[in-house]
Amino acid sequence: MNAESRQIARRAATVGGVTLISRVLGFVRDLITAFALGAGLFADAFFVAFRIPNLLRSLFAEGSLTMAFIPTFSRVRQEEGEARSQEMARAVLAWLVCILAAITGLAMLFAPEVTALIAPGFGRNPELLAATADLLRICFPYIIFISGVGLCMGILNAHDHFFAPAFAPCILNVGFIAAALIGWGLGLNVAYALAWGVLAAGLGQWLFQQPYLARQGFSWRGPWRFGDPAVRRMGLLMLPSVVGSAVYQINLLLSTLLASYLPVGSISYLYYADRLVQFPVGVFGLAVSTAALPSLSRLAAAGEMDEFREVVRSAMRLSLFISLPATAGLIALAAPLISLLFARGAFGHDAVIATAGALMAYGAGLPAIALVRPLVGAFYALENTRLPVAVAMLCVAVNISLGFVLMQSLAHVGLALAVSASSFVNVGLLSFFLRRRLGVWPLALPYVLRCAAASLVMGLAAWAVTGARLAWLLLIPVWAGLYFGLAQFFGLAEARLLFGALSRRLRRRAAS
């Protein structure tokens, strides 16, 4: 295993660890927000108002911007030097501020119309519509700050720094928590307190990145130009990726549309199950792809294709090594896990069983969801963004058509299975086209079989004790240890790699 692969494991450990903290804080945020805000008119108004800039964040700031910026920035840095790459980054910021300021101004001016477009049902309640429009005017400038944070993330990741960008969502969660508690404690309207908290947290996320940029020798002061050719090249890469992000949102929307024809509760079962599946995807799957993209971009820019192939294969192995046992655990422990988290109040036994079925169906596709990320990153590093988008749009068609067929007999579980199946189609097609480009398959079958065998044994062991009250929960660390032991037995190098990276980081934290 080469040095780049070991470096990716170290980066993934950093991103995964900080993201885990952020996810836990997010859970606390949801609890406190529910306590302080409740579920009335102003709660609905705030969630819709925040959803709009948050949707733009997912489409532009975190996904397409970073994925298009890092390969272009790395190529400029490789071919033209550090000073020229900083000039390009300043030009990108100037374009971002100009474009997003114009969009923000229009959104604030036409806030009632934007609200009516996103939530047409609010038109029946003038008070609800007016409150949402007011909150939207407060929240919307958040997109400017968070897009700037996405740009900082690209610069820092290209310089092999991953902590500060990964920590930024923690600041948003803390802002939510503080705003909710302050609003509730002072007797203010909590929805408005949260809206101002979102804006303050966006500024805080931006400011938090600046000292880390300075340590890398980066400065926002210096020459730049609107007509920078590298920015134009980045824009051409970014446009297809925005479409790709929109395809994912369309996929969710159409699946929800199909679920609306099923019995009441089906959408909720899918929502709760998806929240649990997204936890390992967000913590581990995103960590590996985030860690791999700078290396892939740097190697592609330098034309070092042998190293590029090895990094792709290493990222794929690492993604599979983490996602397969997560799949086995989610499937084995689906019912007790759903029962522990949600079985109270109106969420009865039938809801637990129905949601567990959706979780098992979604969980089956977890490895594919995790593997798609480094594959897409490889294409972006090669500055080919059109092919992943075309494959994604084809997979939307597969998902919807298969979901329509399966829901006839399996109801909401059929829709979840369709999502998993289309994810595997996505992985298969991307792997096929990448093999044509690189000359080798990005993932070898013997490695998949050894990893699957270790995960299967672990999953069966976990399933065997699901009927023993909370023993299944207390034994989760034991099953994780069993998996690592089996991985060592099967000769999976990622076990030693991850264990070593985590051990070194813990020793450094303890020493400091």
Side-chain angles (χ1 to χ4, degrees):
M1 185 162 291
N2 61 20
E4 287 282 0
S5 300
R6 288 191 291 271
Q7 194 172 29
I8 288 172
R10 288 194 295 270
R11 295 171 186 161
T14 299
V15 177
V18 178
T19 305
L20 179 60
I21 296 171
S22 175
R23 294 288 170 142
V24 173
L25 271 176
F27 180 68
V28 175
R29 180 192 85 179
D30 291 343
L31 292 178
I32 292 177
T33 302
F35 162 76
L37 184 62
L41 179 146
F42 283 103
D44 286 353
F46 170 74
F47 288 130
V48 169
F50 180 57
R51 183 178 300 161
I52 298 170
N54 207 37
L55 174 63
L56 291 176
R57 172 192 62 79
S58 64
L59 288 178
F60 297 105
E62 290 185 349
S64 56
L65 173 64
T66 304
M67 295 284 274
F69 175 80
I70 291 179
T72 309
F73 182 83
S74 299
R75 182 173 292 278
V76 170
R77 193 168 170 230
Q78 174 80 25
E79 296 176 353
E80 303 178 49
E82 182 69 33
R84 176 70 184 88
S85 67
Q86 292 196 20
E87 182 181 337
M88 176 235 174
R90 296 184 198 109
V92 172
L93 180 65
W95 274 104
L96 276 179
V97 171
C98 290
I99 293 171
L100 294 175
I103 293 173
T104 299
L106 290 172
M108 295 173 73
L109 182 63
F110 296 104
E113 289 78 10
V114 173
T115 301
L117 181 65
I118 299 298
F122 283 14
R124 297 193 300 266
N125 188 332
E127 182 184 3
L128 178 57
L129 182 65
T132 307
D134 285 344
L135 292 168
L136 178 63
R137 291 188 179 102
I138 300 171
C139 287
F140 206 94
Y142 170 77
I143 186 60
I144 300 176
F145 293 123
I146 199 61
S147 295
V149 172
L151 179 58
C152 294
M153 174 182 176
I155 298 169
L156 288 169
N157 285 176
H159 284 85
D160 293 331
H161 178 89
F162 292 83
F163 170 78
F167 189 82
C170 295
I171 298 174
L172 176 64
N173 289 327
V174 170
F176 255 87
I177 293 169
L181 292 177
I182 290 171
W184 175 79
L186 297 179
L188 305 174
N189 186 313
V190 175
Y192 282 84
L194 282 170
W196 286 111
V198 167
L199 195 58
L203 177 59
Q205 288 174 282
W206 162 262
L207 293 175
F208 182 75
Q209 311 298 311
Q210 304 315 306
Y212 294 94
L213 286 170
R215 291 177 195 172
Q216 301 297 331
F218 183 87
S219 174
W220 293 112
R221 296 181 178 180
W224 61 274
R225 51 196 168 122
F226 269 118
D228 193 311
V231 177
R232 286 199 298 271
R233 188 164 72 242
M234 173 191 155
L236 293 174
L237 286 175
M238 189 172 172
L239 285 174
S241 64
V242 171
V243 176
S245 299
V247 164
Y248 175 73
Q249 300 298 329
I250 292 170
N251 213 349
L252 293 179
L253 179 65
L254 293 178
S255 294
T256 302
L257 187 150
L258 289 176
S260 68
Y261 291 98
L262 294 172
V264 173
S266 298
I267 292 176
S268 298
Y269 306 147
L270 293 171
Y271 171 80
Y272 289 119
D274 180 63
R275 290 284 289 172
L276 286 176
V277 170
Q278 289 303 315
F279 186 87
V281 169
V283 173
F284 304 116
L286 181 62
V288 175
S289 60
T290 300
L293 183 58
S295 292
L296 292 172
S297 300
R298 187 163 50 247
L299 293 169
E304 299 177 13
M305 297 312 295
D306 289 338
E307 284 285 311
F308 185 93
R309 291 186 194 94
E310 181 54 35
V311 169
V312 170
R313 302 190 82 177
S314 178
M316 293 286 285
R317 288 194 299 265
L318 197 55
S319 296
L320 191 73
F321 179 81
I322 296 170
S323 61
L324 265 180
T327 294
L330 284 176
I331 292 175
L333 303 177
L337 189 60
I338 295 294
S339 181
L340 175 70
L341 294 175
F342 304 120
R344 56 187 59 88
F347 203 97
H349 177 72
D350 290 343
V352 169
I353 299 302
T355 306
L359 178 57
M360 288 188 282
Y362 274 142
L366 176 57
I369 296 171
L371 290 172
V372 162
R373 293 176 180 268
L375 284 170
V376 170
F379 280 102
Y380 274 63
L382 294 168
E383 299 188 9
N384 181 349
T385 57
R386 291 180 174 82
L387 182 62
V389 172
V391 171
M393 295 180 71
L394 175 62
C395 290
V396 168
V398 172
N399 177 33
I400 299 306
S401 57
L402 188 59
F404 179 78
V405 172
L406 293 178
M407 68 183 278
Q408 310 302 322
S409 56
L410 298 175
H412 66 284
V413 175
L415 293 176
L417 281 174
V419 171
S420 295
S422 65
S423 298
F424 277 105
V425 172
N426 199 352
V427 169
L429 289 175
L430 289 176
S431 297
F432 172 77
F433 287 117
L434 192 60
R435 177 184 177 275
R436 292 181 62 181
R437 177 69 174 80
L438 301 181
V440 295
W441 285 101
L443 199 58
L445 182 58
Y447 183 89
V448 175
L449 295 177
R450 284 182 289 160
C451 202
S455 300
L456 179 61
V457 173
M458 185 211 75
L460 289 174
W463 175 77
V465 298
T466 52
R469 291 186 176 271
L470 289 180
W472 64 270
L473 181 62
L474 299 175
L475 288 172
I476 287 178
V478 175
W479 308 139
L482 173 64
Y483 175 72
F484 268 84
L486 289 169
Q488 294 271 23
F489 175 77
F490 287 124
L492 301 177
E494 281 65 28
R496 294 190 301 276
L497 197 63
L498 273 181
F499 185 78
L502 289 170
S503 298
R504 285 190 295 271
R505 181 155 297 278
L506 289 173
R507 284 199 297 271
R508 284 199 298 268
R509 293 293 183 198
S512 62

